[in-house]
Amino acid sequence: YTICPLSKLIKKVTEIGNVYEHEYSIAIKYFRSVFLKARWGRIQEAMIEIDEGIEFIRRLSYSGQLLSIYSLKARLFIAMGDIGNAEKTLDFANRIADENRPSPNFLGDYFIGHLLIHLHNLEKPLNTGNIKDTTKNCHLRLTMNPPFRF
């Protein structure tokens, strides 16, 4: 973890954030650190880091970043196989999106999280071999309204 070039960059951004009390740099550090830990298979460490990041970003009231970090947390839950908590986390992200109308640059993780949940819900009936459930589930998903309106 410490010899990776990205970890050096994270360390430098953290130093800049701490020295100059630059809150945005500190917030970015949480995102990059979570990505790095998840990539190296340290999902539990990434979850701890993401919870710290959520707390920090919530104090700053950066709604776009809060949406992104909750969406990222949902993706980590999906990677762990915890679909229930992923859906709860995305429900909270939905409320943030509805209240704040985030700019498009914060929507990538949000939409990826929703896509992964929908794919999981479509996969369940396929694994059981019940084609009728798959068709019904697919129809419901394709006719569903988007999570929020612009």
Side-chain angles (χ1 to χ4, degrees):
Y1 175 71
T2 57
I3 59 174
C4 175
L6 184 57
S7 68
K8 290 179 185 176
L9 179 63
I10 292 169
K11 194 177 212 175
K12 189 67 173 172
V13 168
T14 304
E15 288 174 15
I16 291 170
N18 290 336
V19 169
Y20 296 103
E21 296 179 5
H22 190 255
E23 295 163 341
Y24 189 78
S25 295
I26 295 170
I28 293 297
K29 169 252 180 193
Y30 286 107
F31 284 97
R32 297 301 149 221
S33 184
V34 167
F35 278 120
L36 184 63
K37 288 177 180 177
R39 179 167 176 90
W40 287 91
R42 296 178 174 172
I43 302 295
Q44 293 300 328
E45 290 177 31
M47 288 300 275
I48 292 167
E49 188 87 18
I50 209 162
D51 287 335
E52 291 172 9
I54 287 170
E55 199 56 43
F56 180 77
I57 293 169
R58 184 181 292 140
R59 284 194 310 259
L60 299 177
S61 298
Y62 289 168
S63 61
Q65 286 186 341
L66 194 58
L67 174 69
S68 290
I69 202 161
Y70 269 107
S71 301
L72 185 57
K73 184 175 184 175
R75 289 174 60 191
L76 287 176
F77 276 130
I78 292 168
M80 293 170 34
D82 190 348
I83 304 303
N85 275 328
E87 288 176 333
K88 289 176 189 172
T89 304
L90 280 177
D91 286 342
F92 192 75
N94 288 342
R95 284 188 295 237
I96 294 169
D98 285 339
E99 293 170 4
N100 299 292
R101 302 292 186 239
S103 63
N105 59 316
F106 294 113
L107 295 175
D109 289 319
Y110 177 73
F111 286 129
I112 290 171
H114 278 282
L115 174 66
L116 292 173
I117 291 291
H118 293 326
L119 289 174
H120 172 77
N121 289 337
L122 288 172
E123 180 185 39
K124 284 190 296 190
L126 288 174
N127 288 338
T128 63
N130 193 342
I131 301 301
K132 287 183 180 182
D133 284 347
T134 304
T135 307
K136 177 181 143 192
N137 214 353
C138 183
H139 177 71
L140 288 174
R141 296 295 175 206
L142 293 175
T143 58
M144 188 178 89
N145 290 330
F148 66 92
R149 299 182 197 281
F150 289 102

